[in-house]
Amino acid sequence: MARAPLVPREDREVFVVPLEVRPEHIDANGHVNNVVYVGWLQDAGTAHWNARFDDATRARWSWVALRHEVDYLRGIEPGATGVVARTWVGDPQGPRFNRYVRIEDGQGRLCAQGVSEWCLVDARTLRPHRIAGEMIAPFLATV
């Protein structure tokens, strides 16, 4: 049974990433394969991070995905256009936080949703590091 639809918190920026449905994404059942959705969750998180932080910050810090959980709600068919991922972050817990993603078709219908747990690491040593407040601020909604 699928969970209730994920709804962004009002205090979080919702970052939108256009997604391309390619022929190789389509499985034997005629819709986007489940593995592709997991990749889209990771791609959405990476795009949000890259859009909000400069090269120096991204060279110092990296993120490691610890787990992905996906609810598949509606298939996306070959040739679909206007597909997007909408993503936002949760609250930091030491070096970790959850990232939430909704994948919607061109009509705005929820096709899949997911939660990924990410861990901030020092890019050189790969050791976990507590997420500082200044690293969350760029993900907050502007009012």
Side-chain angles (χ1 to χ4, degrees), residues 15-16 73 95 113:
F15 188 75
V16 179
L73 307 167
Q113 62 183 13

Side-chain angles (χ1 to χ4, degrees), residues 5-18:
L6 294 174
V7 177
R9 289 176 34 177
E10 291 183 15
D11 65 338
R12 295 296 191 248
E13 173 193 42
V14 177
F15 188 75
V16 179
V17 178

Side-chain angles (χ1 to χ4, degrees), residues 37-109:
Y37 287 93
V38 174
W40 284 346
L41 264 63
Q42 186 158 321
D43 292 348
T46 300
H48 196 186
W49 165 252
N50 289 342
R52 294 295 166 259
F53 291 91
D54 61 22
D55 290 341
T57 303
R58 293 193 321 265
R60 181 174 181 201
W61 303 110
S62 187
W63 294 96
V64 175
L66 301 175
R67 68 185 298 271
H68 298 290
E69 179 179 325
V70 183
D71 294 320
Y72 303 98
L73 307 167
R74 174 189 305 272
I76 298 177
E77 298 177 358
T81 60
V83 178
V84 298
R86 298 181 191 283
T87 186
W88 63 95
V89 300
D91 291 324
Q93 303 292 320
R96 301 173 182 210
F97 74 84
N98 285 338
R99 174 173 288 284
Y100 303 90
V101 180
R102 291 173 53 104
I103 296 174
E104 302 171 356
D105 65 14
Q107 291 76 47
R109 297 177 298 189

